[in-house]
Amino acid sequence: MLEIIKEPWPWYVAGPLIGLTVPALLILGNKSFGISSSLRHVCAACIPSNISFFKYDWKKELWNLFFVFGILLGGIVASQFLINPGEISVNPALKSELATYGITDYSNLVPVQLMNFANLLTLKGFIVMIVGGFLVGFGTRYAGGCTSGHAIMGLSNLQWPSLIATICFMAGGFLMANVILPVILSL
C-alpha cells in the first residue's frame, strides 16, 4: 500500500478526489474551499488591532485553520516518509534549456541553484523569491482568492468572477513561464 501512495497518481484518480472536496464541504457544512483566506483568519486571531479588515468572527472559520494545518502536516509527513529516492525525471529538452541558465541539479523538486538562502542575496534570487512572493500575495488578494478557491470551488459553482480569475491565472502563468522567467534566469 505504501508503494501505491509513493507513486504519482494519474489525473483520472487525483482529479476526481480533488473535485469531490467541493461537494463534501458544501454538504458537510456549507463551507467554501480555499486556502488564501486562512492567512486572514490567522492574522485576525493573532494580531489584535483596529483594522476593519480583521474585525470579524474568525472563530466561525476555525475549520479552515484545521484544514490548512492538515495540509502542512501532510506535507511534512510526505517529505519525511513518502519521498521517492529515485532521480526526478525532467524532460531532456527542458534540461538542456535550464542548463543554459545554470540549473543542473535535479535532486529536489525545486532547483537548488535557484531556491536557496545564499541566492536570496542575488538579484535573480531576490526577484524570484521576494518580488514573486509579493506578486502572488497581491494577486491573490486582488483576485479575491487563490487558484484553488477560484479554479476548484468557484468554477464548480459556475461563478463568473472565478472563470475570469482562472483565465487570468493561466494566462499569467504561461506569460511568466515562457517570457518573463527566461529573462530573470538569464540575469
Side-chain angles (χ1 to χ4, degrees):
M1 180 69 170
L2 192 58
E3 291 304 316
I4 293 173
I5 293 174
K6 284 185 176 184
E7 293 296 318
W9 291 7
W11 64 268
Y12 52 84
V13 173
L17 287 176
I18 292 170
L20 287 173
T21 60
V22 173
L25 285 170
L26 288 172
I27 291 169
L28 293 175
N30 199 23
K31 304 292 184 186
S32 293
F33 178 76
I35 304 300
S36 61
S37 59
S38 60
L39 178 60
R40 180 181 182 205
H41 305 323
V42 169
C43 290
C46 297
I47 304 171
S49 65
N50 286 329
I51 300 171
S52 62
F53 185 68
F54 296 128
K55 286 185 173 181
Y56 67 98
D57 187 13
W58 59 269
K59 292 177 185 174
K60 289 169 73 176
E61 302 298 327
L62 195 59
W63 73 273
N64 191 271
L65 297 178
F66 282 108
F67 183 76
V68 171
F69 178 72
I71 291 172
L72 175 67
L73 189 62
I76 292 170
V77 168
S79 68
Q80 296 300 312
F81 304 110
L82 301 175
I83 58 173
N84 185 346
E87 183 180 341
I88 296 170
S89 65
V90 178
N91 186 303
L94 181 60
K95 273 188 179 181
S96 63
E97 182 181 347
L98 291 175
T100 63
Y101 301 118
I103 298 173
T104 56
D105 184 1
Y106 303 105
S107 59
N108 289 319
L109 291 175
V110 178
V112 176
Q113 289 100 347
L114 187 59
M115 298 290 195
N116 61 53
F117 284 111
N119 207 17
L120 184 60
L121 302 176
T122 66
L123 179 62
K124 180 182 0 180
F126 181 81
I127 291 172
V128 169
M129 289 185 262
I130 303 298
V131 174
F134 172 78
L135 289 174
V136 167
F138 176 79
T140 299
R141 184 69 207 128
Y142 187 73
C146 59
T147 52
S148 60
H150 280 299
I152 297 171
M153 186 74 182
L155 288 181
S156 64
N157 286 324
L158 302 176
Q159 294 178 358
W160 179 250
S162 291
L163 177 63
I164 294 169
T166 302
I167 290 170
C168 291
F169 292 149
M170 294 302 294
F174 289 132
L175 179 71
M176 180 65 195
N178 295 302
V179 178
I180 300 171
L181 187 61
V183 172
I184 294 171
L185 291 177
S186 64
L187 294 175

